[in-house]
Amino acid sequence: MRSLVSLMYGSLATLLWVSSSFDLASAASIPRFQELETRTRADLNSNTVRRELGSRLSSGTLIFGPNDERFAGATARWNMFAPPQIQVVIQPGAESDVSKIVKYCNDNSIDFLALNRGHGNSRSLGSFNGVQISLVSLVNIAIQPSRQSAWFGGGVYGGLVTKYLWERGFVTTTGSCDCVGLLGAGLGGGHGRHEALYGMVSDNIRQLNIVLGDGRAINVSPTSNSDLLWAMKGAGHNFGIVTSFELNIFPRGPDTWHYHNYIWAGDQLEPVFNALNAFHNNGSTPVNMTTNFGSFFLNASVSTTDPILSWTFAYRGSAEKAEALLTQFNAIPAIYEEQGDVPYSQVSKAQATAEDDFICMDGNKRITTTAGLQVYNVTAERLIYEGFRSRAISNPALAAGCGILHEGYATAGVTSKNPADSAYPFRSDHHLMLFNGVVPPGDAVLEAQAWEWANEVRDMWNAGQPGRPANNYVNYANGFEDLDSIYGWESWRLQRLRALKQKYDPQNKFRFYNPIVEAREGKGKGKGKGKGRRRSFQG
């Protein structure tokens, strides 16, 4: 298995990302809210905060600044495109500390930003300057006596939760990458391997304990602040800091899952995508064929000019049943393939999304554009592939790091939910697409070329589904997109979110992750449009 993982990701160590400025949609109709004129104190440093605040917090709390050896690790991020400016890190030792930290920051006109695992991808994060509240110590897990739910600390992440529950006979809904915070994904929806059976992470939230922007700690549930529960399931980053939450859990099911990984050459693109469309049948994927992830990228051990097609499938159950569903893919000549059976807690390693895999690597400056699809347009995919190949020939430094990702899910548990019941807007999207890469800092020419390429790929994906809007999954959005393409095209969605914002965060404290209302500063101006151009492809 390691040979395939190396083949899949070993050549991606130089992926590229680009920063650029884009025109945003006019915000004349967006309320500015009563945002305080917060400014970072001139004397803000860890010694000052420790002296003024430390005695009020639990003994396990840590407070440190840039000169501390722990600072680099504590502030590391998956995407360094628009990193927040952190002056002081406060790592609360207890859930009750978070409210006190927020009140202290407010009393001293200091902005604050909560962090779990640092996978936020939005350019709006770059406008932050202040105190980071790191939730990494809040990782307690308590299975409830009913054995139908568990309470989790606000700092838990996918891999930790999966292993803990599996060893005790349970599973729950998480994102697909082990390194991502469970609520970081869940507050925006949270797609993963169990969504066909149980829905997304957000669909399984029972209740949350939240610290609001004014420092009040409240419970959000069907019987307490129930209007906010709707918003937390899809747009939750805009409303508060989740310090703990109760989530549904389920019996773990089969002892092993089957995986099958393939690498195909580019001349097999049409058979592969035709097979994928037949396999998914526009949202009718068998529920136990949980996920398939695919990528276009260069691997020099295969070719320096022709990208490979790398695909990995995960089935909840036996090899015999899985392979019966994969016959059409087995018939396509592959450069390499492998398969095996592992416990669910090891599926992420088999699919190269474990904590120590390349996809989870921190510290790169990434460029990402995204799209949500129902079916794959084979003509568009061929054009995207040929665009990759032409750049590999003409601009190898640019192409060397590109990864064009395709996420396919069995979605029955997502589409069965009423779309109006939560803030997550795009339940009819069956595939999540991502142009992903890294560029070395300081190369403005390469950045500009990469950004142009990323937008081109996004536009081709969207043009391949004429008649559908250009949807952008909030957890993959880069922050340059139109807000309705992130939070939903029905006008009532943003209206309802903004009304709740006025009620629960009237001072707009939570405005640093794809905010639903504008901040007073930082409105970018530039050349691009987040929505993307439209062309139509047949096929």
Side-chain angles (χ1 to χ4, degrees), residues 204-260:
N204 289 282
I205 295 172
R206 291 192 173 197
Q207 58 180 316
L208 311 100
N209 290 324
I210 296 176
V211 173
L212 298 177
D214 60 7
R216 285 181 296 144
I218 66 170
N219 176 261
V220 177
S221 73
T223 59
S224 177
N225 301 296
S226 58
D227 54 349
L228 184 55
L229 184 61
W230 176 88
M232 297 301 292
K233 296 181 176 186
H237 313 88
N238 286 276
F239 292 95
I241 301 172
V242 179
T243 57
S244 62
F245 58 99
E246 185 182 13
L247 194 70
N248 292 327
I249 62 174
F250 309 93
R252 75 180 200 178
D255 288 338
T256 60
W257 285 41
H258 183 72
Y259 68 90
H260 197 146

Side-chain angles (χ1 to χ4, degrees), residues 12-35:
L12 290 182
T14 57
L15 286 180
L16 54 94
W17 167 245
V18 145
S19 68
S20 180
S21 294
F22 275 83
D23 284 324
L24 298 181
S26 172
S29 63
I30 301 176
R32 286 186 174 271
F33 284 66
Q34 300 168 8
E35 181 185 328

Side-chain angles (χ1 to χ4, degrees), residues 277 280 371-376 407-409 429-433:
N277 280 336
H280 284 289
L373 306 181
Q374 285 188 326
V375 298
Y376 293 118
E407 296 183 15
Y409 295 91
D429 287 351
H430 309 310
H431 307 313
L432 299 180
M433 319 304 289

Side-chain angles (χ1 to χ4, degrees), residues 239-309:
F239 292 95
I241 301 172
V242 179
T243 57
S244 62
F245 58 99
E246 185 182 13
L247 194 70
N248 292 327
I249 62 174
F250 309 93
R252 75 180 200 178
D255 288 338
T256 60
W257 285 41
H258 183 72
Y259 68 90
H260 197 146
N261 301 335
Y262 305 84
I263 290 180
W264 290 292
D267 60 1
Q268 300 299 327
L269 183 145
E270 282 78 10
V272 168
F273 278 95
N274 283 326
L276 285 167
N277 280 336
F279 174 76
H280 284 289
N281 194 24
N282 195 10
S284 301
T285 315
V287 294
N288 285 327
M289 187 58 80
T290 62
T291 45
N292 66 87
F293 305 139
S295 299
F296 301 166
F297 59 86
L298 288 173
N299 188 291
S301 65
V302 178
S303 173
T304 58
T305 58
D306 295 340
I308 61 172
L309 281 62

Side-chain angles (χ1 to χ4, degrees), residues 23-65:
D23 284 324
L24 298 181
S26 172
S29 63
I30 301 176
R32 286 186 174 271
F33 284 66
Q34 300 168 8
E35 181 185 328
L36 294 180
E37 294 288 347
T38 51
R39 295 289 184 269
T40 302
R41 281 173 44 176
D43 63 340
L44 179 62
N45 58 65
S46 57
N47 290 330
T48 300
V49 175
R50 195 179 298 113
R51 182 179 66 251
E52 296 177 349
L53 178 63
S55 63
R56 304 181 221 167
L57 305 178
S58 65
S59 59
T61 297
L62 302 176
I63 301 173
F64 52 90

Side-chain angles (χ1 to χ4, degrees), residues 360-434:
C360 283
M361 185 183 299
D362 284 338
N364 290 315
K365 185 177 184 181
R366 300 175 183 266
I367 183 168
T368 62
T369 52
T370 187
L373 306 181
Q374 285 188 326
V375 298
Y376 293 118
N377 185 298
V378 181
T379 302
E381 294 295 337
R382 171 54 70 183
L383 290 171
I384 290 168
Y385 181 90
E386 293 301 328
F388 198 148
R389 186 174 182 274
S390 69
R391 287 173 172 88
I393 296 170
S394 65
N395 194 342
L398 173 63
C402 174
I404 299 177
L405 301 145
H406 306 67
E407 296 183 15
Y409 295 91
T411 56
V414 177
T415 57
S416 66
K417 305 291 191 299
N418 185 344
D421 286 347
S422 76
Y424 181 78
F426 302 134
R427 292 184 180 272
S428 62
D429 287 351
H430 309 310
H431 307 313
L432 299 180
M433 319 304 289
L434 189 71

